[in-house]
Amino acid sequence: MLTLAGCIVTSFGYVATVNIYEGSSVDQVYRWDREQDVPLGMELAVKRINREFYPVPVRVGVLRGNEKFALFTLRTGESFKLGDYRVAADAFDPAGLNLNLTVYRQGRVMGTADTSGMNNLPADFPYAFKLVSYQSPILKRCWVDLHLSDKDKTLAAGTAEVNGPFRWQGLYFYNTLTGSDENGRPFAGIQIVRDPGRPYVFSGFAVMGLGAIFAFFRRFYGCK
């Protein structure tokens, strides 16, 4: 009966979707039951689209001045020795084809650099780094940072992914897709679900599970 009641109550919920550019916000979503755009009642912003990749094989060239000094093959997350320094390949950005590196000396962080030429290392650091080759990375995880607000007042903030929704006051925010438009501007697809029958459905499943356990004990361990 609880499960049946939950199914009935669920019919009063809805599913809505919207695509939001990274760094922007919307106040309307498309409701599939009404087949039209409706006000959300708040501002929904995608602050950042985050991606985590499996370790990527890369080849890093080291320059000393204008001369080629060394070539290293490794995976992101690994490091190599460079004289008195140790250089760790932290992360690879496939969109910008850029590898981020951290330089250590005697176990202490000296600074960071990347293969595009940017760094915050000491002025007398003698090396520069270039990305020679890489393998296409495989996506491990993707999630987005969401922010809810109403008239410049923050209501809530959190992260959402495909199987890990951000929850707020009975609403479930799922990240269903990520992509880029024809200009390369990244966006995230957000699905918003209101399902008031969910607690009743799961309560019904719990009652059925307990009933099955009691029936088992009554059948095999009850009075004969």
Side-chain angles (χ1 to χ4, degrees):
M1 294 296 293
L2 279 172
T3 302
L4 179 60
C7 294
I8 295 173
V9 175
T10 292
S11 64
F12 294 98
Y14 63 83
V15 175
T17 55
V18 65
N19 291 337
I20 309 174
Y21 284 110
E22 184 179 33
S24 66
S25 63
V26 299
D27 59 5
Q28 289 194 335
V29 295
Y30 183 84
R31 277 188 53 166
W32 290 91
D33 56 334
R34 298 183 182 180
E35 297 185 346
Q36 63 180 3
D37 291 326
V38 300
L40 181 59
M42 70 190 92
E43 289 277 341
L44 171 60
V46 171
K47 292 295 185 179
R48 181 179 174 84
I49 299 174
N50 306 280
R51 295 179 178 89
E52 181 183 355
F53 297 92
Y54 287 100
V56 181
V58 294
R59 299 181 74 187
V60 181
V62 181
L63 304 177
R64 186 163 189 168
N66 295 322
E67 297 182 359
K68 297 179 180 179
F69 181 79
L71 180 66
F72 296 92
T73 301
L74 70 163
R75 292 175 178 266
T76 51
E78 299 177 346
S79 63
F80 58 87
K81 290 286 291 182
L82 186 61
D84 295 334
Y85 307 99
R86 183 171 63 85
V87 182
D90 295 326
F92 175 63
D93 174 18
L97 299 181
N98 192 27
L99 180 66
N100 298 313
L101 305 158
T102 300
V103 180
Y104 300 83
R105 188 174 188 179
Q106 296 179 349
R108 296 183 179 181
V109 176
M110 289 189 59
T112 59
D114 62 35
T115 52
S116 70
M118 301 295 294
N119 72 79
N120 60 3
L121 294 163
D124 60 349
F125 184 74
Y127 304 106
F129 306 99
K130 294 294 181 181
L131 180 63
V132 176
S133 62
Y134 65 93
Q135 289 187 9
S136 298
I138 299 175
L139 186 64
K140 181 178 181 181
R141 181 188 172 209
C142 181
W143 71 99
V144 297
D145 297 332
L146 298 180
H147 183 267
L148 304 178
S149 61
D150 182 19
K151 296 179 180 179
D152 297 328
K153 178 184 177 182
T154 298
L155 301 176
T159 62
E161 50 190 303
V162 173
N163 295 315
F166 168 56
R167 304 178 185 181
W168 181 74
Q169 294 191 356
L171 294 175
Y172 293 77
F173 298 84
Y174 295 87
N175 172 218
T176 55
L177 65 89
T178 57
S180 301
D181 64 12
E182 61 275 8
N183 297 316
R185 189 179 178 188
F187 66 86
I190 305 298
Q191 183 183 78
I192 305 161
V193 178
R194 180 180 288 279
D195 186 2
R198 181 188 292 255
Y200 300 97
V201 172
F202 284 109
S203 296
F205 289 158
V207 170
M208 286 190 288
L210 290 173
I213 294 173
F214 290 148
F216 173 83
F217 279 97
R218 186 167 182 266
R219 172 68 176 82
F220 292 98
Y221 299 101
C223 297
K224 298 182 179 180

